[in-house]
Amino acid sequence: MKPPLATKKLTTLSLLSAIALALYAVESALPPIVPIPGIKLGLANIITLVVLWKYSAKDAFFVLLVRILLATLFFGQAISLLYSLSGGLLCLLAMVFVQRLLHGHYLFLASMTGAVFHNLGQIGVAFLLTSVPAVLVYLPFLLLSGLVTGLFIGLCARFTLRFLP
């Protein structure tokens, strides 16, 4: 007997959330790629993009939320929840907007836009929490790195989608 479609989808999304968490854990264990704080690849976002393209924005939101909450619980501090949520939610909103604007084409552009908005969200929270304008000095570096890493992550997601049924 086959499982109901809803059960299969829930199981698949749960597995994708676990993969995203594992990618986050692996990336957290790696040394920084550049000596500027806040710049990282964002490997877990590959899964967010895959879910957004293969399922829906709502499903991508839940996978993102589960990954952020579990990552904060297992690896982070309470304050990292604010940074992760602000960056992740802005990123997802931007990717959904680009996906709909471009009718599901150019996944890499959605990824690049999402990475830039992720950085904007995190810098915005840092500025709101610290009230120190000096944090804005990082913005040009973060935006440039967001374009580069967003392109890489978008290409990885496109490659991954080719091998999924």
Side-chain angles (χ1 to χ4, degrees):
M1 185 167 125
K2 287 177 123 179
L5 196 57
T7 303
K8 183 178 178 182
K9 182 179 175 184
L10 179 63
T11 304
T12 302
L13 291 176
S14 299
L15 287 170
L16 288 169
S17 297
I19 292 169
L21 185 61
L23 287 171
Y24 177 84
V26 166
E27 187 173 1
S28 296
L30 297 174
I33 51 178
V34 293
I36 299 171
I39 294 178
K40 61 183 201 168
L41 286 173
L43 294 175
N45 205 37
I46 295 169
I47 304 303
T48 305
L49 281 162
V50 166
V51 173
L52 179 59
W53 249 253
K54 191 152 179 59
Y55 294 97
S56 69
K58 182 176 131 184
D59 294 329
F61 169 76
F62 285 117
V63 168
L64 175 74
L65 190 62
V66 165
R67 194 245 320 145
I68 288 173
L69 292 174
L70 289 176
T72 302
L73 181 67
F74 294 143
F75 309 108
Q77 303 165 355
I79 195 74
S80 67
L81 182 64
L82 288 174
Y83 288 104
S84 295
L85 276 177
S86 64
L89 293 176
L90 267 181
C91 172
L92 181 61
L93 286 173
M95 291 189 305
V96 168
F97 175 76
V98 171
Q99 181 194 35
R100 291 187 179 159
L101 180 71
L102 300 177
H103 307 290
H105 300 292
Y106 306 109
L107 183 144
F108 71 94
L109 286 177
S111 178
M112 293 169 72
T113 305
V116 165
F117 274 83
H118 186 276
N119 289 333
L120 288 172
Q122 289 193 325
I123 283 289
V125 166
F127 182 72
L128 288 173
L129 290 178
T130 64
S131 299
V132 176
V135 298
L136 300 176
V137 169
Y138 287 114
L139 193 56
F141 301 106
L142 290 174
L143 295 180
L144 180 61
S145 74
L147 291 173
V148 174
T149 59
L151 175 61
F152 174 74
I153 296 302
L155 293 174
C156 289
R158 172 54 67 203
F159 182 75
T160 302
L161 282 167
R162 285 187 183 165
F163 293 98
L164 293 178

